[in-house]
Amino acid sequence: MADRIPLYPVRSAADRKRAAYYSAAGPGPGAERPSSRCRLEDESAHLDEMPLMMSEEGFENDESDYHTLPRARAARRRRGLWGLPQLLCGAWVSLCTSCCDGLINVCRRKREPKARTVWLGHPEKCEEKHPRNSIKNQKYSVFTFIPGVLYEQFKFFLNLYFLVVSCSQFVPALKIGYLYTYWAPLGFVLAVTIMREAIDEFRRLRRDKEVNSQLYSKLTVRGKVQVKSSDIRVGDLIVVEKNQRIPSDMVFLRTSEKAGSCFIRTDQLDGETDWKLRVAVSCTQRLPALGDLFSIRAYVHAQKPQLDIHGFEGTFTREDSDPPVHESLSIENTLWASTVVASGTVIGVVIYTGRETRSVMNTSNPKNKVGLLDIELNQLTKALFLALVALSVVMVTLQGFAGLWYRNLFRFLLLFSYIIPISLRVNLDMGKAAYGWMMMRDKNIPGTVVRTSTIPEELGRLVYLLTDKTGTLTQNEMVFKRLHLGTVSYGTDTTDEVQSHVRSAFAQLHSQASGNSAGSTPPRKAQPSGPRVRKSVSSRVYEAVKAIALCHNVTPVYESRGGVTGETECAEVGQDLSDEDRTYQASSPDEVALVQWTESVGLTLVNRDLTSMQLRTPGGQILTYRVLQVFPFTSESKRMGIIVRDESTAEIAFYMKGADAVMATVVQYNDWLEEECGNMAREGLRTLVVAKRVLTEEQYQDFESRYMQAKLSGHDRALKVAAVVESLEREMQLLGLTGVEDRLQADVRPTLELLRNAGIKIWMLTGDKLETATCIAKSSHLVSRMQDIHIFRPVASRGEAHLELNAFRRKHDCALVISGDSLEVCLRYYEHELVELACQCPAVVCGRCSPTQKARIVRLLQQHTHRRTCAVGDGGNDVSMIQAADCGIGIEGKEGRAASLAADFSITQFRHIGRLLMVHGRSSYKRSAALGQFVMHRGLIISTMQAVFSSVCYFASVPLYQGFLMVGYATVYTMFPVFSLVLDQDVKPDVAMLYPELYKDLTKGRSLSFKTFLIWVVISIYQGGVLMYGALLLFESEFVHVVAISFTALVLTELLMVALTVRTWHWLMVVAELLSLGCYVASLAFLNEYFDVAFITTVAFVWKVSAITVVSCLPLYVLKYLKRKLSPPSYSKLTS
C-alpha cells in the first residue's frame, strides 16, 4: 500500500545513534520492548524499515528542532556559487518577516492565556481581565457589513471586471452604450447578494441574542440576583437549575442532591448522549447552608484554558480552616459550558468565560464556502479576459496604432466585453436556488433543508466523506443480545430460561440462609478463590448475572410523581422503588443495556450512591452491597473494576469487565473465550468479558493501604496506582462473555455500500472509544468482514510513532483504526507520511477525537489531497468539522439541532445522503457546468460577430448592436431557454441510484474543463463567423438589413443550440423556447430604430435568415449524432 512512498536509505554508521534514540524515547520500562524487538530483526531489514522520510541527522537533533531539518538540508544542497546572494536575500526576507510579525502582534495585542486563581464570589479579586461571556456567531459588524459583502463579491474576477467596465462608462470618450446596459445587471447581482447576506446575518444575530439574554441566578452576599448570561464574570457563583444550559466553564461546588453528585448532558460538547456523573467539591458540599460560601475564605487555582474537554487540573484551597484544606480537582469536578444539568440544582464558581471556554475553543469560525465549480469558472473567465485583451491588441495593431491608440484599445476592450458575460453570475445564482428548491421538494428525502445555497454542485464532486458515529451511523440505543458461559449461550429468545435459573439460585441461597439462621451460625468468612468442584448451571448463571448487576457505574434515577418541580433524584432506603418511575443513567450506553437486561431477568438495581448499592431479587428481597473501590474505564486500561462487600455475608468480591484482549491475560485458563469473542465480533456485537475474584479481609486491607499510598504519591502517580490495581488482576474466575448491539440507523449498510461504489472514501471520526468504533465499523460494513484491520498502537513519542508507521506501511489493503492521542503525535512529526498512508486505506476509523481534531483532519485532507470533502454529523461536537469541510451535512437527531443549523445541508436520516449525492449532487454539477458554458458561448458568439464586423469596417471601434438589442439578447430573447437547462437530466433518478458508478466520473471534472471550454470556443467562433459573414454576403442595399438578418439568425441559433444541448426534454423547456421566440417576433414591430419593418416582412428576409441559421447549426447536429453513435457516453448506454 505504501511502497510508493519514497523512503531514503540510512548509512549503517548511524545505527547505534538511532538505537540509542529509540531506547531513550520510550517511557520508562515500556521502552525496552521496542528496542529488544529491533535487535532481534535482521540488520539489513532493520535498515530498510527504520527510515521513513527521514535521514540519520533527524535522530541527532532535539524533537523540537525536527521541523527545521528538511528546510536546512534543502538549503545546503542549493547553496553553491549562489550561496552568498541567497544568504543575503534570505536574511532580508527574514528581517522583513520579523518586522511584519512584530507589527501585527503589536496591533493585535493578543493576550496569552495563563493559569488563574479564582476567589469564590469575588470577581473583583481577579488579577487579569478576562473575556466577556458572550456568544458571537456573526460574520460582520454594523460597520464591516457592506465592505465585507462587497469584498466577498469583488474578489471574484468576473464581478471585479464588470465593476471596472461599468465605471468606465462615466468617461465620455469611452462610452459606447447606455449606462443601464452595464449597471442594471451588476446592481441586480449585488442587491440580491446583499439582501441574502443581511437576512442570514440577522438570523445569526437573533440566535446569539437569545442565548446571551438567558437569565441565571447569581449568588451574592445579599442573596440571589438575576443576571444575563453575557454579564457573568470569572469568580461569580452561579446557580443552574435542572434542564438549564450551563453558561460558562465552572467548578462544581454544591448540589441539591444528597449524594453530593449530579448528572449532566454533554451531547453538544462531545457528541455523546449518555449522562455524565459530576461530583461536588466535598469541602463546600459539607457546608450547612448556601450562604456559608461567602463566610469562608477559599479559592480555586485552575490551569490555563485548554482545548482538552476530557481533562482538567486544578486545586481547591480553603485558607480559614486549621490546617488549610487542599483538594485536588479533576474533570469530575467541572461543569463545562454548553452542557445541560440533568438532575438537581448545582452551584459553581466560574473559572472560564467567553472565548476561553472549552466549547468555544473547540469551535472553529465559520468560513465563506466557495464551490469548486465557481473557482473553475473564475479561472475560465480569466482565460476569457486574456483572449479579450489579445483580440483588442490585434485590432489596434491592425489599425497600425494610429491616433489615440490607447483610447481605441480601451474602446475595443469595452466592445468585446461581452466575451465575459455578467449574466453568468445571475444565471448560476438562480440555478443554485432552483437546485436547493428541488432538494427540499424531493418527497424521497423529506425534511431536507438547504441552508447554504451557494454550493449545491459540491455534492456532486465529493471524494472523502467524514462521518460521526453516535447518532449518525447508529441510533445510540444499546440492546443486550447474548450471554455466553463457555458451555451454554443465552440470547434474547431465552430470557425466560435465564429467569428460571436466577430464581432457583436465589431460592437455594434463601433456604441455606434460613438454615444457617436456625443454627445460629455467624456469617461465613470469605474464602480465597481456588480450585472448586464444577458448579451447577443455575449457580453459574446467577454468578454471571450478579456480576453484571454489580460491576458498572450506572445510577438508577426516579422521577418524583408527587412533586411539582418533577425533580430527578436518586432512590433512598425508604423510598417507593417503583419500576415505572425508574430510569438508568451512566456514561456508557453499554452499561445501561446490561443493567436493563439484569432487571429483565429478575435482578434489579434499585439504588446507587457513592458508597453503596442495592439490588432487588426476584423474590422482592433487597440485597445491600457496600462499594469499597471503583476503578473506572479508561482508553488505556480498556477495563473497569469494582470491589464490593456483601452486607449479609461480609464477602468481599472484586468484579471486573473489559475488552477480551486485556481480560484474556488476567482470567484463569480456558479454551473458548477467544473463539466466542471472534464469533460475536463478526456479528457486529460489542463484547465484554466478566470476571470475579473473592478477597479475604486481610488481602483487601493490604491492597487498600498500598492503593491509598499510591494515590498520595507525588511522582508517577498514575503508574503506581495502575501497578497496585494490577496486583489484584491475577487468576480471576471467568464468569461469562456478554454481547451488546448498538442499533444502526435505517439503511446504513446499503447507503455506505452505495457511497463506496460511487468512489467515495468514508472516514469515521468519533469521540467514542476505539473498541466501540471498531465494532460499529464492522457491523455497518464500513469495513468488510474479510478485510484486515490495523489497530494503530498507542504512541507517545517520535520514536514510537516512527516504529508504528513503519509497521503500518507494510500492511496492504487494510483499514486503519487510530486514537486521537496517537494521531496527534504522528501529525506532529510525520504529518505528510501519515496522511498519504491513510488516504490509501479503504476506510479509516479514528476514536477519541476531540472536535478540534475532527476539523483538523478535514483540513489536512483538503491540503494534502486537494479533493472535495464532506462532513456529516448530528451533535454540537461536529460543528467544527462540518464548517471546515467543503460541504457540511447536519442530521437532526437526539443530540439537538446545533449541527443541523451550522451545516450547509440538513437531513433527517443518514440514508438520505445517498439520494442527496447520487441524484441531486450529480445533476446540480452537470447542469451548472452546461449552463455556465452555454452562457459563455452566448457571449463569445456575439463577440465573434463584433470582431468580424470591426475587421470588415476597417477596424473601427463601432458597436454592431446597440441599446435594447444587447439587453434583450441577454434577457427576454434567450434567458428563459438557456436557464431551462437547470431542468435537464442525462439519466433518471432511479438509474442514478442503481448505478452509483456514474457518480465516480464527476470527480474527474470532465463536465467542465479546459477541453470542453475550448470546444465551446471553437463552436462560438464558427457560428459567429458564419452568422456575420453570411449576413454581409446576403445583404443588398442598406446596413440596417445586415443588423436585421444577423441578429434574427443569432437569436434562432441560440434557441436551436439549447435544443441541441438538452438531453431530456421537460415541458417547461418547450414553453421557454416558444415564449422566447414569440417575444422576439412580437418585438420586431416595435424595433423601428434598429430594423426596417418593411424588409423583415419580405420572403427574402425569411430565406436569408433560414439559410444562415441552417449553415450555423446543421453541422453541429450531424457531429453530435455521429459522436453518440461512435462513442456514446456512459449514461446513454444505460438509457438505451
Side-chain angles (χ1 to χ4, degrees):
M1 174 177 61
D3 294 336
R4 295 192 295 274
I5 299 178
L7 301 177
Y8 300 123
V10 179
R11 293 187 294 272
S12 58
D15 243 6
R16 288 187 298 275
K17 297 178 184 176
R18 190 180 307 108
Y21 171 81
Y22 277 130
S23 61
E32 297 175 3
R33 287 191 295 271
S35 304
S36 59
R37 186 181 70 181
C38 291
R39 284 196 296 269
L40 292 173
E41 294 178 352
D42 181 70
E43 186 68 19
S44 60
H46 177 72
L47 288 175
D48 290 335
E49 293 164 5
M50 291 299 290
L52 193 141
M53 300 292 285
M54 184 169 74
S55 72
E56 69 276 14
E57 297 173 40
F59 292 94
E60 298 169 5
N61 290 269
D62 185 72
E63 292 190 9
S64 60
D65 299 328
Y66 175 68
H67 297 286
T68 64
L69 286 174
R71 202 180 306 140
R73 287 200 293 272
R76 277 204 302 276
R77 284 197 298 271
R78 290 195 301 264
R79 199 174 294 153
L81 294 174
W82 299 97
L84 184 59
Q86 285 186 348
L87 185 64
L88 292 173
C89 291
W92 172 250
V93 171
S94 177
L95 179 64
C96 292
T97 304
S98 301
C99 292
C100 292
D101 290 343
L103 286 172
I104 290 171
N105 289 332
V106 168
C107 294
R108 286 181 177 173
R109 289 188 179 90
K110 199 168 183 178
R111 185 178 59 84
E112 185 69 25
K114 297 178 181 177
R116 60 196 61 186
T117 299
V118 181
W119 292 86
L120 268 61
H122 297 284
E124 68 279 357
K125 289 187 178 182
C126 291
E127 300 172 356
E128 294 186 7
K129 188 178 179 181
H130 302 293
R132 288 187 72 234
N133 191 48
S134 59
I135 292 175
K136 185 178 180 182
N137 289 314
Q138 299 104 272
K139 290 192 281 188
Y140 310 102
S141 67
V142 176
F143 302 104
T144 62
F145 176 73
I146 295 296
V149 174
L150 291 179
Y151 168 75
E152 289 296 330
Q153 285 302 303
F154 291 125
K155 74 179 182 182
F156 283 104
F157 178 80
L158 180 68
N159 293 346
L160 182 62
Y161 167 76
F162 264 96
L163 177 66
V164 174
V165 169
S166 301
C167 290
S168 70
Q169 294 304 289
F170 290 111
V171 180
L174 302 177
K175 187 175 181 181
I176 60 171
Y178 299 108
L179 281 176
Y180 71 86
T181 60
Y182 291 93
W183 280 101
L186 184 63
F188 176 74
V189 172
L190 293 179
V192 170
T193 303
I194 290 173
M195 286 177 59
R196 185 177 61 201
E197 283 293 331
I199 292 170
D200 290 344
E201 195 70 2
F202 177 72
R203 287 173 179 169
R204 284 190 286 266
L205 175 65
R206 192 168 57 185
R207 286 200 299 265
D208 291 347
K209 189 175 181 181
E210 183 181 339
V211 174
N212 292 328
S213 300
Q214 287 182 350
L215 295 177
Y216 291 87
S217 296
K218 171 183 168 182
L219 282 182
T220 64
V221 180
R222 295 180 298 275
K224 293 182 181 179
V225 294
Q226 294 289 310
V227 293
K228 291 182 179 179
S229 174
S230 56
D231 295 333
I232 292 174
R233 296 187 295 166
V234 171
D236 284 342
L237 297 177
I238 302 299
V239 181
V240 186
E241 303 290 342
K242 180 187 173 185
N243 292 328
Q244 197 172 16
R245 183 186 71 89
I246 296 172
S248 57
D249 289 356
M250 303 192 297
V251 167
F252 185 15
L253 299 179
R254 285 178 68 87
T255 177
S256 59
E257 300 286 305
K258 295 176 182 176
S261 61
C262 79
F263 286 102
I264 60 171
R265 294 196 295 268
T266 62
D267 48 4
Q268 296 305 312
L269 186 65
D270 59 11
E272 297 182 17
T273 55
D274 320 305
W275 293 7
K276 307 292 190 301
L277 185 70
R278 292 293 182 261
V279 181
V281 176
S282 59
C283 179
T284 50
Q285 179 67 23
R286 288 196 301 263
L287 293 175
L290 198 59
D292 292 338
L293 287 171
F294 290 95
S295 64
I296 64 172
R297 182 176 170 80
Y299 64 86
V300 170
H301 181 77
Q303 64 183 157
K304 69 178 183 179
Q306 304 275 350
L307 284 169
D308 185 13
I309 59 176
H310 300 295
F312 174 74
E313 292 180 5
T315 55
F316 174 87
T317 303
R318 180 178 177 182
E319 290 187 336
D320 58 347
S321 62
D322 189 22
V325 176
H326 299 280
E327 282 193 44
S328 176
L329 302 178
S330 66
I331 187 68
E332 289 186 340
N333 308 112
T334 60
L335 302 168
W336 295 148
S338 297
T339 59
V340 178
V341 177
S343 64
T345 302
V346 301
I347 298 96
V349 59
V350 177
I351 55 173
Y352 307 123
T353 54
R355 62 176 179 270
E356 292 181 345
T357 60
R358 293 296 203 269
S359 60
V360 174
M361 292 180 74
N362 278 282
T363 303
S364 59
N365 293 324
K367 64 175 183 178
N368 288 314
K369 297 185 180 181
V370 179
L372 183 59
L373 183 91
D374 293 321
I375 296 172
E376 291 170 343
L377 286 172
N378 199 43
Q379 298 297 327
L380 293 180
T381 54
K382 291 177 183 177
L384 288 173
F385 177 73
L386 293 177
L388 165 65
V389 173
L391 182 59
S392 302
V393 170
V394 168
M395 287 295 179
V396 174
T397 305
L398 292 173
Q399 276 184 337
F401 292 97
L404 298 174
W405 64 269
Y406 51 86
R407 192 185 73 176
N408 291 334
L409 175 64
F410 208 94
R411 284 180 63 84
F412 275 122
L413 287 173
L414 296 173
L415 276 177
F416 301 140
S417 63
Y418 280 93
I419 286 180
I420 308 174
I422 184 65
S423 58
L424 178 62
R425 291 245 41 103
V426 179
N427 278 279
L428 286 177
D429 286 346
M430 291 195 302
K432 294 172 192 287
Y435 306 146
W437 183 81
M438 292 175 191
M439 292 177 193
M440 291 190 286
R441 295 269 297 179
D442 191 342
K443 295 179 180 179
N444 293 298
I445 46 174
T448 301
V449 179
V450 178
R451 302 192 189 279
T452 305
S453 60
T454 56
I455 56 170
E457 300 91 359
E458 292 296 275
L459 294 171
R461 307 288 296 276
L462 301 177
V463 178
Y464 289 96
L465 187 136
L466 302 97
T467 175
D468 181 35
K469 177 190 71 70
T470 309
T472 303
L473 295 179
T474 69
Q475 300 178 24
N476 203 30
E477 293 180 2
M478 304 296 170
V479 181
F480 185 91
K481 284 292 184 181
R482 189 166 303 164
L483 172 65
H484 205 291
L485 304 180
T487 57
V488 63
S489 175
Y490 298 98
T492 52
D493 54 344
T494 54
T495 305
D496 51 349
E497 193 175 338
V498 178
Q499 284 177 341
S500 64
H501 283 308
V502 172
R503 258 193 223 97
S504 62
F506 271 110
Q508 186 179 354
L509 287 172
H510 184 63
S511 62
Q512 288 178 0
S514 28
N516 289 338
S517 59
S520 302
T521 44
R524 65 181 179 85
K525 187 176 180 180
Q527 298 295 324
S529 59
R532 298 182 178 180
V533 295
R534 190 173 183 84
K535 295 183 179 179
S536 66
V537 174
S538 294
S539 62
R540 288 167 60 202
V541 171
Y542 158 69
E543 285 290 345
V545 172
K546 187 174 76 169
I548 295 169
L550 289 172
C551 187
H552 53 73
N553 271 318
V554 180
T555 303
V557 176
Y558 294 85
E559 294 287 341
S560 55
R561 287 175 291 183
V564 180
T565 58
E567 280 204 2
T568 305
E569 53 188 28
C570 295
E572 295 182 16
V573 177
Q575 187 181 340
D576 177 27
L577 306 177
S578 59
D579 295 340
E580 293 79 10
D581 302 327
R582 182 176 54 250
T583 57
Y584 296 111
Q585 296 301 336
S587 59
S588 171
D590 303 56
E591 295 197 319
V592 174
L594 292 172
V595 172
Q596 286 175 338
W597 179 77
T598 62
E599 179 184 1
S600 69
V601 297
L603 195 57
T604 306
L605 175 67
V606 293
N607 184 30
R608 169 78 179 264
D609 55 32
L610 297 177
T611 59
S612 66
M613 196 184 309
Q614 290 182 328
L615 303 179
R616 186 172 62 201
T617 66
Q621 296 174 310
I622 299 295
L623 304 178
T624 303
Y625 295 86
R626 181 158 299 278
V627 179
L628 302 178
Q629 300 291 344
V630 177
F631 313 113
F633 182 94
T634 64
S635 56
E636 291 78 23
S637 66
K638 296 182 177 58
R639 58 191 180 273
M640 73 87 57
I642 188 171
I643 300 178
V644 296
R645 186 200 303 272
D646 189 338
E647 295 288 5
S648 61
T649 63
E651 179 187 74
I652 300 175
F654 171 42
Y655 292 101
M656 192 168 72
K657 67 180 180 186
D660 56 294
V662 177
M663 297 293 290
T665 60
V666 300
V667 298
Q668 296 169 348
Y669 173 77
N670 63 87
D671 57 358
W672 60 270
L673 181 60
E674 183 179 356
E675 181 183 354
E676 290 304 327
C677 284
N679 292 338
M680 288 193 189
R682 279 187 286 274
E683 295 177 29
L685 301 181
R686 299 159 70 162
T687 57
L688 283 174
V689 180
V690 184
K692 173 187 178 182
R693 180 181 176 185
V694 178
L695 303 176
T696 63
E697 189 69 35
E698 293 78 14
Q699 285 176 327
Y700 175 70
Q701 293 299 334
D702 174 60
F703 164 79
E704 186 181 33
S705 63
R706 290 185 291 118
Y707 185 65
M708 296 308 295
Q709 186 177 356
K711 286 181 72 175
L712 294 174
S713 175
H715 181 63
D716 288 337
R717 180 187 298 177
L719 289 174
K720 292 179 180 178
V721 168
V724 173
V725 175
E726 283 180 9
S727 66
L728 285 182
E729 299 169 351
R730 294 172 184 169
E731 289 298 310
M732 298 190 71
Q733 178 189 352
L734 176 60
L735 298 179
L737 175 67
T738 63
V740 176
E741 180 187 41
D742 189 356
R743 286 181 176 171
L744 297 173
Q745 294 275 8
D747 295 332
V748 161
R749 292 188 183 110
T751 301
L752 292 177
E753 187 70 24
L754 180 80
L755 296 175
R756 262 201 305 272
N757 292 337
I760 297 174
K761 292 187 177 181
I762 305 161
W763 291 28
M764 182 200 292
L765 311 180
T766 176
D768 216 333
K769 51 184 184 284
L770 280 183
E771 294 76 18
T772 307
T774 307
C775 283
I776 295 302
K778 290 178 179 177
S779 62
S780 65
H781 294 177
L782 176 66
V783 177
S784 62
R785 292 185 178 182
M786 305 305 296
Q787 202 167 56
D788 291 333
I789 297 178
H790 178 83
I791 299 179
F792 207 87
R793 187 173 60 87
V795 296
S797 67
R798 189 179 75 194
E800 293 178 356
H802 188 100
L803 284 171
E804 192 61 24
L805 279 170
N806 274 320
F808 175 46
R809 76 178 178 86
R810 291 193 293 267
K811 299 290 184 70
H812 292 268
D813 191 36
C814 68
L816 172 65
V817 177
I818 186 170
S819 68
D821 296 334
S822 301
L823 181 74
E824 196 70 30
V825 175
C826 291
L827 291 180
R828 182 181 173 192
Y829 303 112
Y830 301 110
E831 178 182 294
H832 177 76
E833 291 80 6
L834 177 66
V835 175
E836 192 164 349
L837 287 169
C839 287
Q840 296 178 31
C841 295
V844 176
V845 177
C846 188
R848 288 298 178 196
C849 259
S850 68
T852 310
Q853 282 180 323
K854 290 183 177 183
R856 187 181 177 191
I857 292 170
V858 171
R859 285 191 288 268
L860 282 173
L861 280 175
Q862 292 168 340
Q863 293 165 9
H864 285 268
T865 66
H866 303 290
R867 298 300 188 112
R868 310 316 277 177
T869 59
C870 175
V872 187
D874 69 321
N877 65 316
D878 302 316
V879 169
S880 296
M881 172 176 71
I882 286 171
Q883 291 178 339
D886 298 301
C887 174
I889 299 177
I891 299 177
E892 289 191 18
K894 297 179 180 178
E895 299 184 19
R897 301 184 63 202
S900 168
L901 292 172
D904 306 304
F905 304 91
S906 172
I907 57 177
T908 55
Q909 295 183 50
F910 183 81
R911 62 176 176 169
H912 293 167
I913 290 178
R915 187 173 180 87
L916 194 66
L917 269 56
M918 300 301 114
V919 176
H920 294 285
R922 183 176 180 276
S923 59
S924 296
Y925 168 61
K926 292 186 78 71
R927 288 165 176 171
S928 284
L931 179 63
Q933 291 176 122
F934 203 94
V935 172
M936 287 182 182
H937 159 75
R938 192 172 62 182
L940 279 168
I941 190 171
I942 200 169
S943 299
T944 303
M945 295 174 70
Q946 177 68 57
V948 172
F949 174 73
S950 295
S951 62
V952 170
C953 297
Y954 304 99
F955 309 105
S957 55
V958 178
L960 172 60
Y961 305 124
Q962 294 185 1
F964 183 76
L965 289 184
M966 293 302 295
V967 176
Y969 172 70
T971 54
V972 292
Y973 297 156
T974 61
M975 184 181 72
F976 298 116
V978 171
F979 184 69
S980 70
L981 290 174
V982 301
L983 301 171
D984 191 23
Q985 60 181 20
D986 53 356
V987 295
K988 293 182 178 179
D990 295 340
V991 177
M993 291 291 290
L994 190 60
Y995 298 99
E997 291 78 11
L998 292 171
Y999 185 91
K1000 198 181 296 184
D1001 295 337
L1002 303 188
T1003 58
K1004 300 170 185 175
R1006 291 175 179 171
S1007 295
L1008 178 65
S1009 63
F1010 272 100
K1011 178 184 175 182
T1012 58
F1013 170 68
L1014 289 174
I1015 291 173
W1016 278 105
V1017 169
V1018 171
I1019 292 172
S1020 303
I1021 293 173
Y1022 165 74
Q1023 290 185 325
V1026 167
L1027 293 174
M1028 198 64 238
Y1029 278 117
L1032 291 170
L1033 286 172
L1034 296 177
F1035 95 103
E1036 294 170 354
S1037 54
E1038 299 182 14
F1039 171 72
V1040 72
H1041 294 172
V1042 175
V1043 175
I1045 294 171
S1046 62
F1047 191 79
T1048 305
L1050 174 64
V1051 172
L1052 291 176
T1053 298
E1054 283 299 304
L1055 297 180
L1056 289 173
M1057 284 299 294
V1058 171
L1060 175 68
T1061 308
V1062 169
R1063 287 161 293 201
T1064 305
W1065 282 91
H1066 190 279
W1067 67 270
L1068 284 174
M1069 294 178 175
V1070 180
V1071 171
E1073 291 266 336
L1074 296 176
L1075 179 64
S1076 297
L1077 184 61
C1079 287
Y1080 178 66
V1081 172
S1083 66
L1084 289 176
F1086 307 100
L1087 297 177
N1088 300 328
E1089 184 182 351
Y1090 309 103
F1091 296 153
D1092 180 2
V1093 179
F1095 173 69
I1096 61 177
T1097 55
T1098 62
V1099 176
F1101 171 77
V1102 175
W1103 79 259
K1104 289 176 182 179
V1105 169
S1106 302
I1108 294 172
T1109 306
V1110 168
V1111 174
S1112 69
C1113 294
L1114 186 61
L1116 299 177
Y1117 271 86
V1118 173
L1119 288 174
K1120 180 181 178 181
Y1121 176 79
L1122 293 175
K1123 184 183 177 182
R1124 285 183 67 91
K1125 285 294 181 183
L1126 300 176
S1127 178
S1130 55
Y1131 64 84
S1132 65
K1133 299 173 185 175
L1134 299 176
T1135 54
S1136 59

